[in-house]
Amino acid sequence: MVAASVPSGYELTEEQRLLRDTVRALADERIAPRAAEIDRTGEFPWDVKALLAEHDLLGLGIPAEYGGVGVDLLSVCLAIEQVSRVCATSGLIIAVQELAAAPIVLAGSDEQRRRWLPDLAAGRQLVAFALTEPEAGSDAAAVRTRAVRDGDEYVIEGTKRFITHGSIADLIVVFAVTDPEAERHRRLSAFVVERERPGFRVARLEHKMGIRGSPTAELVFDGVRIPAANRLGPEGDGFAIAMRTFERSRPGIAAQAVGIAQGALEVAAAYARTRRQFGRPIGEFQMVAALLADMDAATEAARQLLYRACTVIERGGPDAARWAAIAKLVAGDAAMRVTTDAVQVLGGYGYVDEYPVERMMRDAKITQLYEGTQQIQRLVVARALLGRE
Amino acid sequence: MRIVVLTKPVPDPASGQDRLGPDHRVDRAAAPAVLNGNDEYALEAALRLVESHGGEITLLAMAPATAPETLRKGLAMGAHRAVLVTDPALAGSDIRSTVGVLAAALAGLEFDLVLAGIDTSDGFAGVVPAALATLLGLPLLSNAAAIEPDPAAGRVRVRRIIQGGYDVLEAPLPALVSCTQALGAPRYPSLKGIMAARSKEVAVRSLADLGPTRWPVGGAAAATAVVAVDPPPARGATRTIRASAVEAAREIADFLAARRLLP
């Protein structure tokens, strides 16, 4: 043991370990048995959402004064990782609630926070983050949805696409153009839209390859009127709010990816210990053992990078976006590779739904796509590296 | 109701590590420590009692100095404070010494009920509750499946599991109850509970703080010694049957019948 020489601050704290172990037990005992069915039926797991709410897991990053737990980003990621290890759809419930509450936490006034955060923290309400549009994906500043001021109100007009929880959320944080003439990054503002507002409707739900229990919606805002008091921050701050949100939400997706990878690794290792071919466990064959060792190394490397990124981002500073992007890039690629190799270790059994690894492989793919594609993450990193905004 | 719950940090049974050192004693560095499983059931029972009758819960442990982290889980579940008796001189203590130390620690606490798990997953002796009650002169209500205190009357009633049914026992408070898993599964700590546990007190007591104990402590004073340890025989080759429930049941029945293991 060299514990005495480990610099303080590098290890997880006692609280973080207790949080991680508690969520792992909860996930193993209460969520894992549901995962295959959630994937098969494609139905949002309201029972899991209730379980997460009961254990304060939907208000992790929300400050305690607004009813949340108020833990740091690393603790949030530990929870997402442990739940995603058994069910990526369920892990995403935590991640999306964090993602979409972040603009209110980051840019909301005290009055706005008091109005919305307690219900989100308690899990009484769900919230969705609506930035992406049919023509504005990676090019987030190309949003076309308009918000036109009319007295004490705004009128919102437009379509949002690929909105996670869009069809079930009580609140939608919508990014819309308030000044089409402004320079590219000053055109957008952020608004909170309650789902019962007239003119709001869910146009369609996507049929997806993975995270099938998580509803992904196309949302239409047809002249939706909201009070000006629902705007988060000053007009024109929308793009900046979205980017600051991504600094905190991309690590959440990296955590989901690390969790999926860990889950697949554990299934593959257990299989390799018990599956016998040619008279011995397949794990004793070097080609299988090497696959497993590489899977473990990739998962652990992504995990440690993520934990480091969380502490850097929590501290703040100009390097946060780069760390968030690197963590998501490395973790998403690790998850895809590890889950693909897990299917390989299980062979034919890995390709059928008798084992969870084919589901994990399908779920892993989304971590390379949402919260910015891997290509966008590289763009963020390269810009930081080359010093160009 | 003032309830003391005896909680022992034990090597995590799920860790798969070899838990015995070469001296046949539990190697507490070999595996991460967790709260003894049956003690969590006792704590859950205490939490439910406090929820319906009011009161406070104190965890009491005799354990190495690293125990506060393990006890933190009990605090996160809802216990109000913890008392840890730790002292290098306690290493190697046997059951008799342990009972003497716990009795001395309890003498410094105010309580109506002491709850204990029926046994621990490292030692499995299961005699500490009875020995402690005897030494302290407390009524012992063992193998509890239900605990119904009547604080106003100063009495407690317990359903005690016996072969084929229950005894209903009643005793005056304070009393000591040994708790079975029939009392109900322990809760998960809530995240707010985990955060709140940070500010709860873990009072650390040395042997000197406790004052004299009934019997000498430490390995040299142990009245019993483990002279041999035999691991269970290795499991033979296993076979996994993959089929529908009905087919699998039939195959298992055939397998057992072929070995004359079915009547």
Side-chain angles (χ1 to χ4, degrees):
Chain A
M1 288 293 285
V2 290
S5 66
V6 173
S8 64
Y10 192 77
E11 297 280 342
L12 298 181
T13 66
E14 184 180 301
E15 267 163 17
Q16 287 166 336
R17 289 195 295 271
L18 182 53
L19 181 151
R20 177 196 62 194
D21 295 348
T22 299
V23 178
R24 175 159 50 208
L26 195 65
D28 281 346
E29 292 163 24
R30 303 286 300 278
I31 301 175
R34 288 274 287 119
E37 189 188 4
I38 291 168
D39 178 65
R40 191 174 64 250
T41 62
E43 287 170 10
F44 181 75
W46 288 102
D47 58 326
V48 173
K49 178 252 171 191
L51 181 74
L52 298 175
E54 184 191 333
H55 291 88
D56 309 321
L57 287 163
L58 295 182
L60 284 173
I62 294 175
E65 56 186 307
Y66 302 108
V69 187
V71 296
D72 60 0
L73 182 60
L74 176 50
S75 298
V76 173
C77 285
L78 291 171
I80 295 171
E81 178 190 342
Q82 290 306 324
V83 175
S84 301
R85 185 176 137 265
V86 301
C87 177
T89 287
S90 298
L92 187 57
I93 300 174
I94 303 175
V96 170
Q97 191 81 340
E98 290 291 329
L99 153 74
I104 304 174
V105 174
L106 292 171
S109 64
D110 183 57
E111 190 276 326
Q112 290 174 320
R113 292 172 172 185
R114 279 182 202 294
R115 205 162 120 208
W116 290 309
L117 293 180
D119 282 338
L120 298 181
R124 286 186 293 271
Q125 295 198 331
L126 292 176
V127 57
F129 182 90
L131 174 64
T132 299
E133 297 184 1
E135 303 299 328
S138 292
D139 185 5
V143 161
R144 290 182 187 171
T145 294
R146 284 295 314 269
V148 178
R149 183 86 187 221
D150 181 20
D152 283 343
E153 295 183 320
Y154 283 92
V155 182
I156 299 185
E157 190 81 42
T159 299
K160 294 289 180 181
R161 187 129 196 230
F162 298 135
I163 307 306
T164 306
H165 294 180
S167 57
I168 56 171
D170 302 278
L171 302 176
I172 324 275
V173 176
V174 177
F175 293 84
V177 178
T178 40
D179 182 359
E181 307 304 320
E183 62 99 3
R184 212 170 136 69
H185 295 158
R186 297 292 304 167
R187 295 165 66 243
L188 299 184
S189 302
F191 302 91
V192 174
V193 178
E194 299 91 343
R195 67 169 297 116
E196 60 272 13
R197 297 275 174 197
F200 169 78
R201 67 187 167 88
V202 178
R204 54 176 267 174
L205 290 170
E206 311 293 347
H207 293 278
K208 304 189 300 297
M209 177 182 186
I211 51 166
R212 293 175 58 91
S214 178
T216 307
E218 182 171 309
L219 306 179
V220 172
F221 299 82
D222 187 2
V224 176
R225 287 185 169 271
I226 55 164
N230 282 22
R231 192 189 67 227
L232 297 171
E235 272 198 11
D237 269 14
F239 190 80
I241 292 170
M243 293 305 121
R244 279 168 64 207
T245 297
F246 285 146
E247 288 173 11
R248 301 188 69 84
S249 64
R250 283 177 178 154
I253 298 310
Q256 185 191 32
V258 170
I260 295 170
Q262 180 67 34
L265 170 65
E266 289 174 18
V267 173
Y271 187 87
R273 272 194 293 270
T274 54
R275 169 72 170 173
R276 298 177 72 88
Q277 291 289 279
F278 306 102
R280 49 189 169 137
I282 62 169
E284 291 180 12
F285 294 104
Q286 288 185 358
M287 278 193 271
V288 174
L291 264 182
L292 290 166
D294 285 350
M295 289 159 68
D296 191 18
T299 305
E300 193 63 48
R303 176 183 293 116
Q304 296 307 322
L305 173 62
L306 166 65
Y307 292 2
R308 175 69 185 151
C310 286
T311 62
V312 172
I313 294 162
E314 195 68 63
R315 216 163 42 224
D319 221 15
R322 171 179 162 271
W323 278 94
I326 290 179
K328 215 259 317 174
L329 175 64
V330 170
D333 286 356
M336 197 66 244
R337 192 181 118 205
V338 168
T339 54
T340 305
D341 286 347
V343 171
Q344 196 68 33
V345 169
L346 271 71
Y349 285 106
Y351 197 67
V352 296
D353 65 5
E354 185 177 339
Y355 284 92
V357 288
E358 60 84 28
R359 178 186 85 234
M360 291 165 167
M361 182 177 165
R362 288 184 286 108
D363 286 342
K365 185 64 201 176
I366 191 61
T367 68
Q368 294 182 305
L369 302 174
Y370 60 9
E371 296 293 294
T373 61
Q374 300 299 70
Q375 288 66 36
I376 288 294
Q377 310 307 327
R378 290 186 172 93
L379 196 67
V380 171
V381 177
R383 278 178 181 166
L385 184 66
L386 301 173
R388 189 180 74 81
E389 178 43 49
Chain B
M1 297 273 297
R2 295 157 303 177
I3 304 176
V4 174
V5 180
L6 304 184
T7 39
K8 186 180 190 186
V10 296
D12 186 352
S15 76
Q17 299 293 320
D18 198 353
R19 287 176 281 149
L20 291 182
D23 58 356
H24 299 157
R25 286 190 190 141
V26 173
D27 181 357
R28 299 197 184 274
V34 296
L35 287 184
N36 176 50
N38 282 330
D39 297 349
E40 288 195 13
Y41 281 79
L43 173 55
E44 176 63 33
L47 290 166
R48 293 182 191 180
L49 289 177
V50 163
E51 279 161 7
S52 49
H53 296 276
E56 296 202 321
I57 298 168
T58 302
L59 307 176
L60 173 61
M62 171 182 135
T66 51
E69 172 160 357
T70 313
L71 295 174
R72 198 71 65 190
K73 182 184 179 192
L75 297 173
M77 286 169 71
H80 296 79
R81 70 185 67 77
V83 174
L84 168 65
V85 180
T86 187
D87 199 302
L90 289 170
S93 291
D94 65 359
I95 295 163
R96 188 182 66 159
S97 304
T98 302
V99 168
V101 170
L102 291 175
L106 278 169
L109 299 172
E110 294 190 338
F111 56 86
D112 303 300
L113 272 178
V114 178
L115 302 190
I118 47 167
D119 60 20
T120 56
S121 63
D122 54 354
F124 276 122
V127 298
V128 165
L132 196 53
T134 305
L135 184 56
L136 290 171
L138 294 174
L140 170 71
L141 303 107
S142 59
N143 281 354
I147 305 171
E148 294 155 18
D150 184 349
R155 302 189 72 78
V156 62
R157 190 176 272 220
V158 158
R159 276 157 68 90
R160 172 176 180 271
I161 298 176
I162 58 169
Q163 196 161 20
Y166 298 97
D167 280 341
V168 178
L169 307 176
E170 199 180 274
L173 298 173
L176 191 150
V177 180
S178 75
C179 299
T180 70
Q181 299 192 355
L183 283 159
R187 66 195 62 189
Y188 304 97
S190 74
L191 275 285
K192 283 181 186 167
I194 290 173
M195 293 303 122
R198 165 172 35 189
S199 56
K200 291 179 178 174
E201 180 196 18
V202 179
V204 178
R205 303 265 184 273
S206 68
L207 273 175
D209 296 331
L210 290 190
T213 57
R214 174 70 178 76
W215 291 287
V217 301
T224 56
V226 178
V227 293
V229 173
D230 290 318
R235 202 167 61 158
T238 56
R239 187 177 144 210
T240 307
I241 296 170
R242 296 186 187 286
S244 72
V246 173
E247 285 170 42
R250 189 171 294 132
E251 227 177 299
I252 291 169
D254 291 346
F255 178 88
L256 294 174
R259 285 155 184 77
R260 298 179 189 281
L261 292 168
L262 283 187

